Structure formats: C-alpha cells, structure tokens
Amino acid sequence: MVSKLMQTWDADSYAKEARFVSELGMPVLRLLAPKFHERILDVGCGDGYLAQQMILMGCEVVGVDSSRELVAAAKARGVDARVMNAEALTFESEFDAVFSNAALHWMVHLDKVMAGVFRALKAGGRFVVECGGKGNVKAIREGIEYAFGRRGLDGYALPKPWHFLDVPETKKLLEGAGFVVESIELFERPTPLPGDVGGWVSTFAKDFLASFDAENREDFVNDVIEHCKPKLMQADGTWVADYVRLRFSAEKPVMP
Ligand SMILES: C[S@@+](CC[C@H](N)C(=O)[O-])C[C@H]1O[C@@H](n2cnc3c(N)ncnc32)[C@H](O)[C@@H]1O
C-alpha cells in the first residue's frame, strides 16, 4: 500500500477556500519578527500571501513550493518563488531566517526538511514554523473515515496526505538536525471556515476524492458533511473546524 497520498493544489480554489490559512499565519509572522533587509526563506510558500507580507516589511524573500501552480501565483505577487521540494533544499548558509506556515504536515521526510533548513540558515539564524499538530481536524478525519466505511472501505487504513506531529517528536527532529529549540507549543485553534466542511474536503483532502466520478464525489462529500455537522456546524449555520496547531521557534547555534 502507498504510505502517503499526494495532494495537488489549485490556485483559484486555494484563494477561495483556504485564504484563512495564510491570514491566520500572521501570529507566526509576529513570532518570526522579520527585520528590515533580512533574507528569509518561506518553505511551502503556497501562493505567496505571507511571503508578500514579509517583502512589504522590507525583507528579501525566497519562497519554495512543490506546486507549480501555486509558485506561479506567488510569482504573480512579485515573490521570488521557486518550484522545489522542501525535502531537497539546495541553499547553503544564506538565510537569516526560515519561515513556514501550514506546510510541514504535508511533507513526508521531515528529517530531510530539517537538515536542509539547517544548511540553508546562517549561524544564529532562526527557524519559525506553524503547522497542523497532533489531533488536528480529528472530527473531519473521522467524517472522511465514516464516508469511506459507508462504501465498504476501511478509512483508517487508507494512506493520508498529512502527518500531524506532537511536541516530543518535533523536538527530537529539530535537535537531531542540530537546532536549539527556543519555544514549542501545541494548541487548539477552532477555525471558522468560509463555507461548510465540504469546501474544506474538496480543497485539503481532494485526492481522497480522485477515485470517484462527479456524482459519487458529491455523495461522498455530503456524507462527510452530515457526519461532521453535530460537531462542527454552529447554531447560526456557520462551520468551525477543529484545528490543532504546532508552533515552534528554533535557532541554528553560532557554535555547533
Ligand atoms: C496549506 S498550503 C500553505 C501555503 C502557505 N504557506 C500559506 O500559509 O498559505 C501547504 C503548501 O505546502 C506545499 N508543500 C507540501 N509539500 C511540500 C514539499 N515537499 N515541498 C515544498 N512544498 C510543499 C504545498 O504545495 C502547499 O502550497
């Protein structure tokens, strides 16, 4: 069995269904505290929304992302964006800081990501991240598993496109790569969605849907919606997803 489902991205639906992801990245940007003229790498930059904020703060930003389509959207915002797998970063001691929002949980070999980030940083450089953490979108994952179960498939056994880390395993990965961890936390962040959970599934779990034709896809998504309704739909009809975030700040020591 495949161990990881590959996620694909579409710039228009990302802007419509997932703009909140980058907007909610602003506190992580504050933790990074970018300084004027700093050279910063944004790993998994997506369509460049946050990279653009750093450029507006006077930083020199390089964004990398594995999605050609999102890199094109980031370039259209004026970001120096490059198609690159974060597991094979090619930079050497050239960044003051490496930033990443909502991207690390999509990556498979995090030891390679951490090693590449460590190499990319100058001594004393910082690595500031927020991503999905252990327990993230549990109700939605259960909804997806339920919908597969209704079709005679074991949703638990299916490969998932995400890996939601907890604090000890992240610390181990960071320290294994040579970082000194400055802060690390796991916290619940209930997240209002722009529509219902169907939009979330179609954007963030779209490759689960790839094997269905249009009609069956709609039925599948409706089953997820119905299953999630009691937990995620609010009294006023809006939807709030059960996000859990992992946020950390680490430093490449000056003296190894
Ligand atoms: C939810 S989006 C977040 C994008 C952006 N950081 C933001 O805050 O809007 C996750 C991004 O991670 C990228 N990504 C996933 N795996 C990757 C990898 N191995 N290398 C580079 N980018 C990756 C995806 O292409 C996608 O753009």
Side-chain angles (χ1 to χ4, degrees):
M1 176 178 281
V2 199
S3 63
K4 179 83 160 55
L5 205 64
M6 290 311 292
Q7 165 79 3
T8 54
W9 301 92
D10 165 86
D12 291 337
S13 68
Y14 193 82
K16 181 166 165 269
E17 297 288 349
R19 184 76 293 137
F20 69 88
V21 170
S22 6
E23 286 170 355
L24 291 173
M26 291 309 283
V28 202
L29 216 48
R30 284 196 284 279
L31 179 63
L32 175 72
K35 296 180 196 71
F36 194 62
H37 278 173
E38 273 191 325
R39 187 164 160 79
I40 297 177
L41 176 66
D42 184 348
V43 173
C45 65
D47 68 359
Y49 178 94
L50 289 167
Q52 189 180 34
Q53 304 306 310
M54 291 187 267
I55 293 170
L56 292 172
M57 292 173 187
C59 304
E60 194 185 312
V61 183
V62 175
V64 291
D65 201 284
S66 52
S67 160
R68 279 186 189 282
E69 191 171 342
L70 293 187
V71 164
K75 280 185 172 164
R77 287 180 188 274
V79 177
D80 175 0
R82 308 172 191 180
V83 178
M84 194 183 290
N85 183 349
E87 295 171 12
L89 295 172
T90 56
F91 308 100
E92 292 282 342
S93 308
E94 58 180 281
F95 291 100
D96 299 294
V98 176
F99 170 83
S100 182
N101 182 57
L104 254 64
H105 56 267
W106 294 101
M107 298 170 192
V108 187
H109 302 291
L110 280 171
D111 53 338
K112 292 186 181 162
V113 177
M114 305 263 178
V117 169
F118 192 86
R119 268 196 314 276
L121 281 168
K122 297 175 188 169
R126 54 212 196 280
F127 182 28
V128 175
V129 170
E130 187 173 299
C131 60
K134 194 174 175 66
N136 196 36
V137 293
K138 183 169 180 282
I140 303 179
R141 287 185 282 127
E142 285 169 357
I144 291 170
E145 282 154 7
Y146 162 80
F148 273 118
R150 285 204 69 195
R151 285 150 186 82
L153 292 161
D154 181 359
Y156 291 97
L158 284 173
K160 307 287 190 306
W162 328 280
H163 180 45
F164 299 126
L165 294 173
D166 62 13
V167 167
E169 63 182 323
T170 309
K171 258 190 113 188
K172 197 171 162 197
L173 276 164
L174 284 164
E175 289 169 354
F179 286 104
V180 173
V181 179
E182 303 283 337
S183 66
I184 182 160
E185 57 177 330
L186 187 72
F187 57 95
E188 291 181 9
R189 192 201 63 195
T191 299
L193 297 178
D196 63 24
V197 77
W200 191 98
V201 172
S202 304
T203 305
F204 297 106
K206 67 195 274 193
D207 291 323
F208 281 125
L209 309 177
S211 53
F212 301 115
D213 60 26
E215 192 184 333
N216 285 315
R217 193 174 305 155
E218 201 180 322
D219 284 350
F220 182 93
V221 172
N222 284 336
D223 280 347
V224 180
I225 294 173
E226 285 309 312
H227 195 266
C228 291
K229 219 174 228 174
K231 285 185 182 152
L232 304 182
M233 197 175 92
Q234 311 300 297
D236 64 359
T238 59
W239 287 74
V240 176
D242 53 340
Y243 272 47
V244 176
R245 308 317 277 170
L246 176 76
R247 187 184 288 173
F248 65 80
S249 172
E251 190 179 292
K252 176 173 177 171
V254 176
M255 295 290 281

